Amino acid sequence: MTKRDFLDIASQTPATLRTILDEAHRLKAAGRDRLDMLTGNTLAMLFEQVSTRTRFSFDLAMRELGGDTIVASGGEMQLGRGESLGDTAAVLSRYVDAIMIRMLDHDGLVTFARQASIPVINGLTRRSHPCQIMADIQTIEERLGPISERTVAWVGDGNNVAATFVEAATRLNFRLKIATPSELELPATLVASAEAEGAKLEVGLDPWKAVKDADVVVTDTWTSMGDIDEDRRRTLLTPFRVDNALMAAAAPNAIFLHCLPAHRGEEVTDEVMDGPQSAVFDEAENRVHAQKAILAWCFGAIG
């Protein structure tokens, strides 16, 4: 079987994404009992930065599919002392059966995957967060039905999660309305490429216009790993805070998503985070189920 990497949404076909999402729904419905799909396989999890949800959810996902895990940070490996990405990938390919890696440099991730002879999964880069978006879409479909019939509004920073939503809109045919400060907008090349592929995008600067009649409102933290201009970003993003008034502009049954960690009182208020429209903790749980399905696909157990 050809090696299956899961590095971003854009490199997957709509059929593959649909297969993974359908499996995620099936696995969640089946419960959390240990399965035997990946018995005898080991997943290495490599973290350049600290992690809560990615670490716990991937560990649980692999174990609940019957496999084993090994976790290491950059500081615990020779990778943190100057060993090349290619050499690390080649060595680990002799030890384990798949690798999930979380690192900021997306080009470095691509290099790592190219040198690995086993599946590589993107746990997060500065450019892309595909596993998170698969969990988000699973959550949307649980609450509202097929994603292809929905309108998603992104409000805030044009970051890696927003960029991955653009890729998903291209592949899964939902409408995406984006509002960011002009200083933090998504790359024009990304938007143009998605529109050329038929993505239904509306990109602007007004959060109220983006949220109007949307089925889903999504935001993220104003300061991500590696950002150094926190005060400037807070000033730019304050008008994009999601509060009850902004949520009221969305469709009556709209849900709110945030990939966490949330800085309450900054990008979102307590009333929204803890309110009846919030699906953030279902979304966090669904990282386990979506990643089970991704792992199953990477190992060839589905699709």
Side-chain angles (χ1 to χ4, degrees), residues 22 34 117 150 186 201 231 238 244 246 251 258 267 299:
D22 289 346
R34 187 180 176 98
S117 59
R150 299 300 161 191
L186 287 162
L201 304 181
D231 292 339
T238 293
N244 279 344
L246 187 61
H258 188 309
E267 71 270 11
F299 277 97

Side-chain angles (χ1 to χ4, degrees), residues 91-128:
V91 170
L92 292 182
S93 295
R94 304 291 184 99
Y95 293 162
V96 299
D97 303 290
I99 300 167
M100 187 285 298
I101 183 168
R102 181 183 175 115
M103 60 187 297
L104 291 180
D105 180 9
H106 191 86
D107 291 336
L109 169 76
V110 173
T111 297
F112 186 95
R114 188 180 299 122
Q115 296 298 318
S117 59
I118 58 177
V120 175
I121 299 170
N122 176 4
L124 174 146
T125 67
R126 191 185 295 277
R127 189 188 306 172
S128 180

Side-chain angles (χ1 to χ4, degrees), residues 180-254:
T180 68
S182 59
E183 297 89 343
L184 300 174
E185 63 188 0
L186 287 162
T189 53
L190 172 69
V191 173
S193 176
E195 290 178 333
E197 291 190 61
K200 296 177 284 189
L201 304 181
E202 292 183 22
V203 181
L205 308 177
D206 185 348
W208 294 89
K209 183 177 180 181
V211 168
K212 182 174 172 56
D213 298 326
D215 300 299
V216 184
V217 179
V218 193
T219 194
D220 197 2
T221 180
W222 291 346
T223 305
S224 301
M225 293 179 184
D227 292 329
I228 58 175
D229 52 347
E230 295 186 18
D231 292 339
R232 171 178 172 271
R233 294 174 70 85
R234 287 192 183 95
T235 299
L236 292 172
L237 287 161
T238 293
F240 294 79
R241 177 180 293 121
V242 180
D243 56 18
N244 279 344
L246 187 61
M247 284 299 299
N253 65 336

Side-chain angles (χ1 to χ4, degrees), residues 23-90:
E23 181 69 2
H25 289 305
R26 188 192 73 80
L27 287 167
K28 185 173 184 178
R32 300 288 294 275
D33 292 337
R34 187 180 176 98
L35 305 174
D36 295 324
M37 292 178 72
L38 299 183
T39 299
N41 292 288
T42 300
L43 173 70
M45 303 191 297
L46 312 182
F47 292 92
E48 185 180 74
Q49 308 91 25
V50 296
S51 170
T52 300
R53 277 152 295 278
T54 298
R55 178 168 179 167
F56 276 80
S57 61
F58 260 109
D59 198 322
L60 285 167
M62 188 64 180
R63 291 174 186 272
E64 290 180 9
L65 292 177
D68 297 304
T69 61
I70 299 173
V71 183
S73 68
E76 294 173 315
M77 303 171 60
Q78 290 298 329
L79 183 63
R81 298 176 176 85
E83 183 171 24
S84 74
L85 288 168
D87 287 352
T88 301

